[in-house]
Amino acid sequence: MAGKSDRFEYLQGLVTEFQDTDSEEAKEQVIANLANFAYDPINMEALRTLQVTELFLDMLTEDNENFVEFGIGGLCNLTMERESRDQILQSGGVPLVISCLSSRRDETVLSAITTLMNLYTASSRSEITDRSVVQCMLRFSLSENLRLRNLALLFLQDLCTQEQLDGAKEEMQGQSQSAIGIPLPLDAK
């Protein structure tokens, strides 16, 4: 039991450090560390108690691209666990995750797609497979970046109906391959 208490205190210390420091570099390091701790299921309860989910969601609106990348990476790790996934959905996190699809950073976009796939439920289906998101995935499926292309294809195959795909493709015909609603990362064009 002492190990669990020590772990909580350590994580609490990280959250406190993030809140107390004015150093952007120190904050980046803390968010990166918290994102790594979110990978281990043993930390989930402590991270929820410390409201780290909300901290990660807050990072998605920052101008600092490292904050965004580490925040979406942390959320991606958290979505592997049901209670954390439900907490993200209840916090209205889907639009924030969708906004990460327009990042210029591959890792941010890959984490965003994976997070959306993990957040997919009967209640979030319409939001996650919104026409603009499906069109974005169709464009990503043409990317030269193999990881991005394969993940987008998996999203389209696993989450979208044929009607959604047909409707999105029809709407895209005649339009340029530039972003419609959601810009592509630089190397995806």
Side-chain angles (χ1 to χ4, degrees):
M1 195 66 154
K4 191 173 183 180
S5 174
D6 291 344
R7 182 181 303 266
F8 181 85
E9 288 177 20
Y10 180 76
L11 293 170
Q12 187 173 35
L14 285 175
V15 171
T16 301
E17 180 183 347
F18 180 85
Q19 294 167 336
D20 290 349
T21 187
D22 291 329
S23 165
E24 196 142 301
E25 187 176 324
K27 285 182 183 257
E28 288 176 5
Q29 181 136 18
V30 169
I31 289 294
N33 284 332
L34 287 170
N36 285 332
F37 279 109
Y39 189 74
D40 190 341
I42 205 166
N43 298 319
M44 295 301 176
E45 186 178 333
L47 293 172
R48 274 195 307 278
T49 301
L50 294 168
Q51 299 180 327
V52 172
T53 304
E54 288 79 7
L55 180 61
F56 288 153
L57 286 168
D58 288 344
M59 292 302 99
L60 303 188
T61 62
E62 292 289 328
D63 291 332
N64 179 322
E65 290 186 22
N66 288 330
F67 284 166
V68 176
E69 181 177 334
F70 301 145
I72 191 64
L75 288 171
C76 186
N77 288 339
L78 288 176
T79 59
M80 298 307 294
E81 193 255 351
R82 181 184 203 123
E83 285 183 58
S84 297
R85 183 174 58 239
D86 291 346
Q87 189 177 18
I88 294 165
L89 290 169
Q90 291 165 5
S91 297
V94 172
L96 293 171
V97 174
I98 289 172
S99 72
C100 292
L101 295 174
S102 63
S103 174
R104 297 185 183 281
R105 291 189 174 187
D106 290 346
E107 292 306 317
T108 299
V109 174
L110 292 166
S111 291
I113 296 170
T114 304
T115 301
L116 288 172
M117 293 173 73
N118 291 340
L119 290 174
Y120 184 85
T121 64
S123 62
S124 66
R125 176 186 304 132
S126 64
E127 194 173 21
I128 289 175
T129 59
D130 179 79
R131 177 76 46 98
S132 64
V133 176
V134 174
Q135 289 174 343
C136 181
M137 293 303 154
L138 286 167
R139 287 189 301 278
F140 287 157
S141 73
L142 304 173
S143 173
E144 292 180 17
N145 178 322
L146 187 61
R147 291 173 39 198
L148 182 59
R149 181 174 66 232
N150 287 341
L151 197 53
L153 288 168
L154 191 61
F155 180 101
L156 293 168
Q157 175 185 321
D158 289 356
L159 306 186
C160 300
T161 65
Q162 190 60 50
E163 292 79 18
Q164 286 174 311
L165 294 173
D166 292 343
K169 288 176 184 176
E170 184 178 317
E171 195 173 289
M172 289 173 69
Q173 287 192 350
Q175 297 175 349
S176 71
Q177 285 302 311
S178 65
I180 305 163
I182 301 172
L184 291 172
L186 288 180
D187 66 351
K189 293 180 181 173

